[in-house]
């Protein structure tokens, strides 16, 4: 017996220990904590470059030719004449080019003016929309103030009897009229109808009290629509009972019957129902007008936004056209690319002749240093004469010089199946330490856009050719705080964006986001013990051993 008792005690002790183990395990169980990284949409610039390497060479002479076709208007040099960098040597007739430039300036000005009008119209429509919501909320406030009294009176008519009967007043009128007209009548039909309406009213009143004129436009519009639907149902209820009482009074008059409900009570109820029906119809008309205005303004704003995006793209195109026209106009002037001596002037050409890019004009003798680099066919496509380049030297790590592209091979060189193009870059500033034969690396700036919206490329995703980001919904006053110290929970929505140029780190945002918007960059899920301790250990999921922070990307 004692042995059995001891065995039972031992079993209970084991169960107790197991319970403690599981309790501790539950107490110290790990939970996941998400750490967010956010990125801000900012104004900035993006620079696109291509790089190539080669050597420094000495340019003994260069043949000067026009960079564009046209009529030769002036010759300013002769053989053996010394010239300085930037001296004007030849000039082509620029009348057509200047006219084209002026036309493009006017087109750009007109497009800019149109954009300003669109933005002004959008702003006015946004103001009109805000006013419509404000007017709507004021109307709603008046409606629910009146409904409070209206529902109390209708409750008395629907749920009380003026002559001490179980049948309520409105149900009594319906029963009498039903018998008079030979219609089927459901017992307590009006009482039940009112109870359903009252239930909806109570819900709408609760929703109304949770709103203010500063609630979101989406919330207000949904509530306006719900209220409009309720007004339709309530006005139909009052109209139906008004018409019933009119028929009831007509029946009493024809049959000369003395009713159980005093005529003065019935006439008072009829007057209330007539007033309520008229008021509800007016409220319906006013609220419907506001809802239609809201729909119209929202549609207009959406159209303006699309038109503004299209207009901005048109302006960008016109700006590019104007920039090209200015660059083309510069090509009508042939300047000395560096100091030197005119070795030869083509005696076969004269003022008034038509010349082209293949026409030889003169030879310039010089001892200028140039960087000659090689680019593959993909990189060479974006390189053009006149582009700036940053030159660095293996032998002179502390020196950086600025250069300008003066020549790009028109025909590539094939070596072991790889096509490459030579690019010549003249040094715009000389340094005696730079010697011919030195290795050089050139970073050519092929495109630069300033004062544009930029965002970390890591934040941009794509699906089926559509680019989008996870836009963080944050109050304006909280954005800086969110950026410095992201909260443990964020609300995001998928926002489609249109992107422009991009480099290794940043991407241009053309539309879909505004300056200051916050975007989800990444989220890290950290395993953290619920019970704090002075030394916590984390482990990378899926790996064993080791002690140190572990995390996984989501």
């Amino acid at each position: 017996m004692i042995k059995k008792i001891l065995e039972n005690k031992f079993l209970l002790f084991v169960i107790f220990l197991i319970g403690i183990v599981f309790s501790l395990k539950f107490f110290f169980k790990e939970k996941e904590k998400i750490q967010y990284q956010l990125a801000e949409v900012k104004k900035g610039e993006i620079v696109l470059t291509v790089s190539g390497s080669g050597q420094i060479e000495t340019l003994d002479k260069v043949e000067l030719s026009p960079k564009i076709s046209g009529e030769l208007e002036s010759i300013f040099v002769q053989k053996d004449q010394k010239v300085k960098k930037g001296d004007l040597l030849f000039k082509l007739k620029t009348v057509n080019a200047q006219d084209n430039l002026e036309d493009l300036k006017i087109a750009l000005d007109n497009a800019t003016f149109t954009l300003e009008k669109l933005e002004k119209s959008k702003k006015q429509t946004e103001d009109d929309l805000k006013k419509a919501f404000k007017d709507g909320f004021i109307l709603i406030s008046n409606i629910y103030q009146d409904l409070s009294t209206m529902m109390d009176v209708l409750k008395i008519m629907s749920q009380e009897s003026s002559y001490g009967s179980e049948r309520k007043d409105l149900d009594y009128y319906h029963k009498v009229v039903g018998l008079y007209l030979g219609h089927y009548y459901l017992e307590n039909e009006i009482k039940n109808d009112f109870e359903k309406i009252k239930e909806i009213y109570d819900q709408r009143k609760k929703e109304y009290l949770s709103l203010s004129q500063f609630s979101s436009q989406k919330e207000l519009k949904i509530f306006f629509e719900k209220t409009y639907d309720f007004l339709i149902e309530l006005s139909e209820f009052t109209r139906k009972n008004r018409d019933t009482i009119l028929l009831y009074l007509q029946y009493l008059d024809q049959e000369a019957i003395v009713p159980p409900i005093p005529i003065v009570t019935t006439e008072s109820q009829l007057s209330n129902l007539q007033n309520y029906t008229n008021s509800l119809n007016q409220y319906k008309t006013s609220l419907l007008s506001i809802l239609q205005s809201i729909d119209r303004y929202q549609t207009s704003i959406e159209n303006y936004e699309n038109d503004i995006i299209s207009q901005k793209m048109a302006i960008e195109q016109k700006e590019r056209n104007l920039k090209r026209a200015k660059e083309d106009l510069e090509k009508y002037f042939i300047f000395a690319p560096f100091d030197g001596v005119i070795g030869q002037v083509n005696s076969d050409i004269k003022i008034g002749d038509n010349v082209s890019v293949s026409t030889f004009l003169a030879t310039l003798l010089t001892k200028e240093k140039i960087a000659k680099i090689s680019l593959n066919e993909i990189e060479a496509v974006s390189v053009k004469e006149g582009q700036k380049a940053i030159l660095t030297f293996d032998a002179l790590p502390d020196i950086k010089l600025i250069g300008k592209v003066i020549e790009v091979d028109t025909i590539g060189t094939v070596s072991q199946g790889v096509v490459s193009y030579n690019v010549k870059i003249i040094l715009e500033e000389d340094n005696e330490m730079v010697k011919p034969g030195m290795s050089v690396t050139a970073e050519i700036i092929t495109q630069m856009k300033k004062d544009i919206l930029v965002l970390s490329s890591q934040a941009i995703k794509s699906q089926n050719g559509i680019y989008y980001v996870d836009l963080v919904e944050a109050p304006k006053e909280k954005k800086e705080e969110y950026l410095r110290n992201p909260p443990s929970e964020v609300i995001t929505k998928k926002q489609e964006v249109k992107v422009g140029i991009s480099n290794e780190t940043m991407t241009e945002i053309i539309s879909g986001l505004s300056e200051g918007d916050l975007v989800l960059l990444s989220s890290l899920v950290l395993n953290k013990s619920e019970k704090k301790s002075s030394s916590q250990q984390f482990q990378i999921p899926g790996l064993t051993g080791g002690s140190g922070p572990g995390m996984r990307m989501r």
Side-chain angles (χ1 to χ4, degrees):
M1 180 69 178
I2 295 174
K3 182 179 180 182
K4 187 173 183 180
I5 291 173
L6 291 174
E7 287 177 353
N8 289 337
K9 285 185 177 181
F10 179 75
L11 182 61
L12 289 172
F13 180 71
V14 171
I15 294 173
F16 176 71
L17 287 178
I18 292 174
I20 290 176
V21 170
F22 275 101
S23 296
L24 290 173
K25 186 176 181 181
F26 176 80
F27 183 71
F28 287 98
K29 71 175 182 178
E30 292 184 339
K31 66 176 182 178
E32 291 184 338
K33 180 181 178 182
I34 300 177
Q35 180 180 343
Y36 295 99
Q37 285 184 292
L38 307 182
E40 183 181 12
V41 181
K42 295 182 178 180
K43 282 288 185 73
E45 68 176 35
I46 293 181
V47 179
L48 302 184
T49 63
V50 296
S51 298
S53 57
Q55 289 183 316
I56 296 295
E57 296 183 357
T58 301
L59 190 64
D60 293 327
K61 68 176 181 178
V62 61
E63 292 185 348
L64 302 175
S65 299
K67 296 180 180 179
I68 199 167
S69 298
E71 181 182 335
L72 186 61
E73 184 178 86
S74 302
I75 301 175
F76 299 102
V77 292
Q78 57 187 359
K79 188 176 182 300
D80 297 329
Q81 179 179 335
K82 289 184 178 181
V83 295
K84 292 287 186 180
K85 176 182 177 181
D87 286 350
L88 181 59
L89 309 181
F90 300 89
K91 179 178 179 292
L92 307 186
K93 203 168 186 178
T94 61
V95 174
N96 293 336
Q98 287 177 328
D99 288 344
N100 180 52
L101 187 64
E102 290 302 318
D103 290 342
L104 291 173
K105 284 181 179 179
I106 292 172
L108 178 59
D109 289 341
N110 290 338
T112 303
F113 179 71
T114 300
L115 176 61
E116 291 173 353
K117 285 177 61 179
L118 287 171
E119 289 176 334
K120 185 177 180 181
S121 298
K122 176 176 175 272
K123 177 64 170 59
Q124 181 60 54
T125 306
E126 288 173 338
D127 292 341
D128 292 340
L129 179 62
K130 290 178 183 177
K131 185 178 184 303
F133 274 107
K134 182 178 179 180
D135 293 343
F137 190 79
I138 293 173
L139 176 63
I140 287 291
S141 299
N142 294 332
I143 288 173
Y144 280 92
Q145 185 176 357
D146 287 354
L147 284 179
S148 180
T149 302
M150 195 180 299
M151 292 299 292
D152 288 342
V153 175
L154 291 174
K155 180 179 179 181
I156 293 172
M157 294 186 197
S158 304
Q159 298 185 346
E160 295 184 11
S161 172
S162 299
Y163 63 103
S165 171
E166 291 185 1
R167 185 174 289 113
K168 314 311 176 188
D169 286 0
L170 294 182
D171 275 307
Y172 171 75
Y173 300 140
H174 274 266
K175 181 173 180 62
V176 172
V177 170
L179 293 172
Y180 170 55
L181 299 177
H183 292 167
Y184 179 72
Y185 167 75
L186 289 175
E187 195 69 35
N188 294 324
E189 177 183 352
I190 305 304
K191 177 177 177 291
N192 294 334
D193 286 347
F194 178 77
E195 287 176 352
K196 293 177 182 176
I197 290 174
K198 180 67 166 56
E199 184 179 351
I200 298 173
Y201 167 75
D202 290 340
Q203 180 62 33
R204 296 293 167 267
K205 185 68 177 288
K206 182 179 178 182
E207 293 171 357
Y208 162 70
L209 293 174
S210 70
L211 295 173
S212 74
Q213 62 178 326
F214 304 108
S215 298
S216 71
Q217 292 184 351
K218 182 179 179 181
E219 288 177 313
L220 290 175
K221 185 179 179 183
I222 290 173
F223 185 70
F224 291 173
E225 291 170 343
K226 287 182 177 180
T227 299
Y228 180 73
D229 292 339
F230 175 68
L231 292 177
I232 291 175
E233 190 168 351
L234 183 58
S235 65
E236 178 59 23
F237 178 83
T238 58
R239 181 207 60 78
K240 175 182 175 181
N241 287 282
R242 178 202 64 186
D243 293 347
T244 298
I245 292 179
L246 287 171
L247 288 172
Y248 170 79
L249 291 174
Q250 181 181 343
Y251 169 70
L252 294 183
D253 186 58
Q254 288 178 357
E255 302 296 330
I257 297 174
V258 178
I261 300 176
I263 290 295
V264 66
T265 300
T266 302
E267 289 177 343
S268 174
Q269 291 171 337
L270 175 61
S271 176
N272 284 332
L273 289 169
Q274 286 175 329
N275 292 335
Y276 295 164
T277 302
N278 292 337
S279 296
L280 291 170
N281 286 336
Q282 289 176 0
Y283 282 141
K284 282 193 303 181
T285 301
S286 299
L287 188 54
L288 178 61
S289 176
I290 288 175
L291 283 169
Q292 289 173 337
S293 296
I294 288 172
D295 285 338
R296 185 170 65 254
Y297 293 145
Q298 288 180 332
T299 300
S300 296
I301 290 171
E302 185 177 347
N303 291 336
Y304 281 133
E305 287 174 345
N306 293 332
D307 291 343
I308 287 171
I309 291 172
S310 299
Q311 193 64 21
K312 284 182 177 179
M313 293 174 63
I315 287 175
E316 288 181 0
Q317 181 61 50
K318 293 181 187 302
E319 287 174 339
R320 288 192 292 268
N321 293 341
L322 182 60
K323 182 181 178 182
R324 281 196 294 267
K326 288 179 178 178
E327 292 171 351
D328 287 344
L329 182 60
E330 292 177 359
K331 294 176 183 178
Y332 285 80
F333 301 85
I334 295 92
F335 297 97
F338 31 71
D339 297 349
V341 177
I342 300 297
Q344 180 185 357
V345 177
N346 189 348
S347 59
D348 293 332
I349 61 168
K350 59 185 182 298
I351 293 173
D353 286 353
N354 287 321
V355 295
S356 67
V357 293
S358 61
T359 303
F360 165 67
L361 296 178
T363 300
L364 178 61
L365 305 178
T366 183
K367 289 296 181 181
E368 287 289 327
K369 298 170 187 173
I370 65 165
K372 185 177 180 181
I373 67 169
S374 178
L375 298 175
N376 63 44
E377 56 186 323
I378 297 176
E379 297 169 331
V381 170
S382 58
V383 177
K384 297 178 177 58
E385 291 183 15
Q387 290 175 341
K388 298 290 184 180
I390 301 172
L391 306 175
T392 56
F393 309 88
D394 294 345
L396 305 168
D398 296 331
I399 293 178
K400 283 186 179 181
L401 299 180
I402 303 298
K404 183 173 70 174
V405 176
I406 60 170
E407 185 180 318
V408 182
D409 281 355
T410 54
I411 300 176
T413 302
V414 181
S415 176
Q416 297 180 347
V418 178
V419 181
S420 60
Y421 292 79
N422 289 323
V423 177
K424 292 180 180 178
I425 302 169
I426 188 169
L427 278 63
E428 292 196 337
E429 50 184 321
D430 195 11
N431 188 302
E432 294 180 355
M433 298 179 68
V434 177
K435 308 294 184 183
M438 280 187 173
S439 297
V440 62
T441 299
E443 190 173 7
I444 303 171
I445 301 172
T446 59
Q447 191 173 1
M448 177 187 292
K449 296 183 79 171
K450 296 183 177 181
D451 197 32
I452 58 174
L453 291 179
V454 296
L455 177 65
S456 171
S457 301
Q458 184 182 344
I460 300 172
K461 307 176 180 66
S462 65
Q463 185 177 17
N464 299 325
I466 304 296
Y467 292 94
Y468 69 93
V469 298
D470 293 320
L471 179 62
V472 177
E473 296 184 349
K476 187 176 181 180
E477 64 276 7
K478 291 282 188 179
K479 287 185 176 180
E480 288 189 12
E481 180 183 341
Y482 277 25
L483 198 60
R484 292 193 307 268
N485 185 23
S488 58
E489 292 184 6
V490 295
I491 300 174
T492 64
K493 68 174 183 178
K494 187 175 179 180
Q495 176 66 41
E496 184 178 335
V497 295
K498 184 171 184 180
V499 300
I501 65 172
S502 62
N503 56 22
E504 294 84 355
T505 58
M506 305 300 289
T507 296
E508 176 191 10
I509 301 297
I510 296 176
S511 64
L513 295 173
S514 301
E515 184 179 5
D517 283 345
L518 298 185
V519 173
L520 183 63
L521 192 63
S522 65
S523 58
L524 301 173
V525 179
L526 305 176
N527 291 329
K528 183 177 180 181
S529 173
E530 286 186 355
K531 183 172 180 65
K532 295 181 180 179
S533 62
S534 58
S535 61
Q536 294 177 320
Q537 291 189 342
F538 300 83
Q539 188 170 317
I540 300 176
L543 297 181
T544 58
S547 59
M551 58 187 69
R552 57 184 174 90
M553 293 296 295
R554 290 223 325 183

